[in-house]
Amino acid sequence: MDVNLEALLRQLTVPDNDVIKQASQVLQDLTKQPGSLGLIPGLSTILRGCSDPAIRQLAAVLLRRRVQTHWMRLGMQAQQHLKQLLLEAMVTEPERLVRQGIAGIVGVIGKLELPANQWPELLQFLHDCSAHGVAAQREIGMFLLSTLAESAAEQLHMHMRMLFELFQRTLRDPESLAVCVFTVQTLTALVPILEEEDVKPFQALLPQVLAVIQRCLAEDEERASDCLDIVEDVCDSEFPLVAKHIADLLQFLLNIALNTGLQPATRAKAIYGIHWLSRRKSKALVKRKLLDLVLQGMFSVLSAAALEADAFGKIGGGGGNGNDDDDDDA
């Protein structure tokens, strides 16, 4: 069947269900043809050569699915070609959504290739990008690493020593907040696979993680809220990842929870973090005599919430006060 694959993908984007259904069926039939290799070669060509970013994004989505099921059917030369193409595309692709799709493909292949050290170029690429003099390149490297950590955390564990050294630098990036945030996201994804020998290196990074979140609170609060996800993960760990800095972490979360200038969702994340500390690390809190700080802090949070509610009620009208006056007269 002689079909223009790019034209077929374009049909999948038109607002016509019949056209989309027909194109999907043709695409499925093509995939089943002997020697099609899941259309990986053709999709790769479109990903790098098509001028339409929507089609490139669609090609990336389909390519990720095909790689998951057809990777082992590709010859070694085809595998090497695709791996090189993806790393080049991460640098040259101008559209963020397409880069995200490419990073997803890298994550799938990395999960398959890293255990046998069959993609050393990937780790070198990540190292070179993270140390690049241009902030945009560092962002690409750390974004790719965060995506890889989400899909292939266990496969990265053998490289933790190198990664901890990398994080020491990227958490302090002076130009790019994005580099710092991607580093925190990478750490969050790696927490569940950490082992005993990783405790001290991780503990050494925790003050820098808090500094990144503090920086986000000043520059990009939504990112700060996202970064706070790491608290639940470190509290859930079987290892004492927060023990050395538990007092600082608790005070940090209380400060956020009490800051009425922040969004309710951000403050709620901090309160939830205090909950996880109290639930999972109660012995450490008792040992360091921090329970009083927890109770005092939560009373302050409740008092602040009551004051906010009262102020909101006064601004909103005063219907409630009228009812109170009637009760007093009765």
Side-chain angles (χ1 to χ4, degrees):
M1 186 184 297
D2 187 12
V3 177
N4 185 317
L5 186 56
E6 182 176 331
L8 189 62
L9 296 191
R10 201 172 297 279
Q11 291 177 22
L12 293 174
T13 66
V14 301
D16 187 319
N17 290 334
D18 291 335
V19 173
I20 292 175
K21 184 176 180 180
Q22 183 178 1
S24 298
Q25 184 59 56
V26 173
L27 190 65
Q28 186 175 357
D29 292 341
L30 286 174
T31 304
K32 294 178 180 179
Q33 285 186 358
S36 69
L37 296 176
L39 303 179
I40 289 176
L43 291 171
S44 302
T45 300
I46 294 172
L47 179 62
R48 291 292 280 129
C50 181
S51 60
D52 187 339
I55 302 302
R56 295 201 303 275
Q57 183 182 351
L58 180 56
V61 172
L62 295 174
L63 188 56
R64 178 175 180 173
R65 296 175 186 171
R66 300 297 182 264
V67 165
Q68 286 177 318
T69 56
H70 290 77
W71 180 251
M72 301 310 296
R73 301 180 187 178
L74 292 178
M76 183 174 295
Q77 185 175 355
Q79 289 179 348
Q80 287 298 118
H81 174 74
L82 180 56
K83 289 188 286 189
Q84 181 179 351
L85 179 149
L86 292 171
L87 295 184
E88 292 174 354
M90 279 299 302
V91 175
T92 59
E93 173 56 53
E95 298 292 332
R96 178 179 59 86
L97 291 177
V98 182
R99 284 200 305 272
Q100 289 178 351
I102 296 169
I105 305 169
V106 172
V108 170
I109 299 175
K111 190 172 185 177
L112 297 170
E113 298 285 272
L114 287 176
N117 195 30
Q118 292 178 322
W119 199 0
E121 297 87 356
L122 173 59
L123 294 174
Q124 188 62 49
F125 176 85
L126 293 170
H127 180 273
D128 292 345
C129 280
S130 67
H132 203 282
V134 178
Q137 294 282 37
R138 298 197 298 275
E139 291 173 7
I140 289 172
M142 290 312 301
F143 166 69
L144 181 56
L145 181 55
S146 68
T147 303
L148 187 63
E150 289 177 0
S151 61
E154 292 183 3
Q155 288 72 22
L156 285 173
H157 187 264
M158 67 181 72
H159 305 287
M160 284 308 303
R161 182 175 179 180
M162 179 271 287
L163 291 175
F164 279 132
E165 293 176 356
L166 175 67
F167 299 151
Q168 286 279 2
R169 181 176 68 254
T170 56
L171 283 170
R172 292 191 174 100
D173 194 292
E175 293 181 83
S176 173
L177 179 60
V179 170
C180 304
V181 170
F182 289 142
T183 304
V184 174
Q185 292 174 347
T186 303
L187 278 166
T188 303
L190 292 174
V191 165
I193 58 92
L194 296 182
E195 298 181 0
E196 189 171 358
E197 66 266 23
D198 304 316
V199 171
K200 287 185 177 180
F202 183 90
Q203 288 178 340
L205 294 174
L206 193 55
Q208 296 176 48
V209 171
L210 299 185
V212 169
I213 299 175
Q214 187 64 50
R215 182 177 167 188
C216 287
L217 289 172
E219 301 180 30
D220 190 337
E221 187 178 333
E222 185 176 350
R223 280 179 162 176
S225 182
D226 292 339
C227 288
L228 282 169
D229 289 338
I230 196 172
V231 177
E232 179 180 345
D233 289 276
V234 296
C235 288
D236 251 353
S237 174
E238 62 180 298
F239 301 110
L241 299 178
V242 300
K244 188 176 179 181
H245 303 287
I246 193 168
D248 293 335
L249 176 58
L250 176 60
Q251 188 62 63
F252 181 77
L253 294 172
L254 286 171
N255 291 343
I256 295 175
L258 287 166
N259 188 343
T260 57
L262 297 175
Q263 293 294 321
T266 305
R267 297 168 65 194
K269 273 279 187 76
I271 294 171
Y272 195 62
I274 296 169
H275 161 75
W276 275 103
L277 272 178
S278 303
R279 183 176 178 180
R280 299 293 190 185
K281 304 299 177 184
S282 57
K283 291 182 180 179
L285 292 173
V286 171
K287 182 178 179 181
R288 289 163 176 78
K289 300 180 180 180
L290 294 172
L291 283 182
D292 285 346
L293 180 60
V294 174
L295 293 174
Q296 292 171 9
M298 295 316 297
F299 280 135
S300 297
V301 170
L302 292 173
S303 298
L307 288 172
E308 287 182 71
D310 183 57
F312 180 78
K314 290 179 179 178
I315 294 172
N321 289 336
N323 290 335
D324 290 343
D325 290 341
D326 290 342
D327 292 341
D328 290 341
D329 290 340

